[in-house]
Amino acid sequence: VPWVRKAIVKRDFPNGLRVVLQEHQAAAYWGGESESRLLNSHGEVFEANLGEVEQDALPRLDGPQGQARVVLMAYQQLKPIFAKLELELDRLELSGRGSWLAQLDTGATLHLGRGPADEVAERTLRFLKTLTQVTHAYGRRPEALESADLRHENGYAIRMRGVSTQVAVTGKK
């Protein structure tokens, strides 16, 4: 049965049975957009009818086989960091080469770099502490973030909606 995580059957003496069922608690969608797999709160991947999911806004997580628990733990570390700026982490992906990619509810894509979840969380926290200063300097809010690249050791690169660093060149005659 898809939603049953564990079933324990015990005999009740003299002629009875006691069945204890533990249900999967869906924590996220797992895999690509077209896949029907879910991730439970224990970091275990299971297949079920997506129409039966009760939570409306589950994040989409993805990663190499056997890394579901690692990705879930990283998501749980990163989610409150983004929430401080009222940003929602919609998608988190771990590549086969160990690189992290995040997508926010605003559509912004963040390349978080490689490393264990705690290093990535620390790097992301440093970035978000300065993001408000940078966006404010251009008269924007953090929601204006379009993309960010945190793979640089001592800095980051960002793109914001409505902000360009290119100077228009006028033709002189």
Side-chain angles (χ1 to χ4, degrees), residues 52-65:
E52 296 173 355
V53 177
E54 293 176 3
Q55 295 93 333
D56 290 334
L58 289 178
R60 171 120 358 228
L61 307 180
D62 198 7
Q65 187 173 357

Side-chain angles (χ1 to χ4, degrees), residues 97-115:
R97 298 182 70 192
S99 185
W100 295 91
L101 179 71
Q103 186 171 12
L104 304 178
D105 62 339
T106 60
T109 302
L110 291 86
H111 295 273
L112 303 176
R114 294 183 187 191

